[in-house]
Amino acid sequence: MIALHLRPYRPEDEAAVVDLWQACHLAVPQNDPRRDIARKLRVNPEWLLVGEGGGKIVATCMVGYEGHRGWINYLAVAPEWQRSGYGRQMMAEAERLLRQAGCAKINLQVRASNVAVVQFYRRLNFKVDDVVSMGKRLEPDQPPS
């Protein structure tokens, strides 16, 4: 297995990160990945993590914390490297950053249809919260149809 080197995102990573998110089916029509990157770079930009292996980006994790709960977004591992431990490494670094910031709880969202990812998080001791996840878009990423 190729060793994974974790580091903060750099602007020249954009194309590789977007390609990875698309390969992992994380980029959806209602979310423009480039805009999501730009938004993250305005708040704790060092918490947009990339994992390099073999000279290319093979993993990402976007970590957030607003003082109450931590959030994980865009955890991705290149399909050919899934089940290699890279996802666990990315999550371990995210948890380290959040603990260091004083975070007491991490939240994340997974599409219910993504059973394999739900099982991944269960193995990391995440549990389904009895909540309704709601959202309201304040800034559209695509023009209304």
Side-chain angles (χ1 to χ4, degrees):
M1 176 172 30
I2 297 172
L4 189 66
H5 169 70
L6 277 64
R7 64 167 175 80
Y9 171 92
R10 296 188 293 243
E12 62 268 20
D13 298 332
E14 183 179 275
V17 167
V18 171
D19 287 348
L20 175 63
W21 291 353
Q22 289 171 337
C24 294
H25 309 288
L26 295 179
V28 294
Q30 64 269 26
N31 290 89
D32 178 335
R34 286 174 175 79
R35 289 178 113 180
D36 285 348
I37 290 169
R39 289 177 184 119
K40 179 59 186 164
L41 294 179
R42 291 192 298 260
V43 181
N44 295 103
E46 68 281 7
W47 284 10
L48 176 48
L49 305 174
V50 298
E52 289 182 316
K56 66 181 197 171
I57 293 173
V58 297
T60 64
C61 186
M62 185 184 289
V63 183
Y65 181 53
E66 83 294 297
H68 182 60
R69 287 191 178 97
W71 284 90
I72 302 299
N73 296 287
Y74 286 110
L75 176 67
V77 174
E80 64 272 21
W81 292 104
Q82 291 174 5
R83 293 179 177 79
S84 67
Y86 290 171
R88 285 180 179 272
Q89 285 180 257
M90 298 301 288
M91 283 300 297
E93 178 62 6
E95 287 187 30
R96 186 191 70 75
L97 291 169
L98 290 166
R99 284 180 196 278
Q100 186 176 11
C103 179
K105 183 176 190 283
I106 299 173
N107 282 8
L108 52 85
Q109 295 175 323
V110 178
R111 290 182 187 90
S113 61
N114 200 340
V115 176
V117 172
V118 170
Q119 291 306 314
F120 165 78
Y121 285 116
R122 285 184 190 276
R123 287 190 300 274
L124 294 178
N125 296 316
F126 281 80
K127 296 178 180 22
V128 175
D129 287 337
D130 188 19
V131 298
V132 174
S133 179
M134 299 175 75
K136 177 180 178 181
R137 185 157 288 282
L138 300 176
E139 180 180 299
D141 278 2
Q142 59 182 350
S145 48

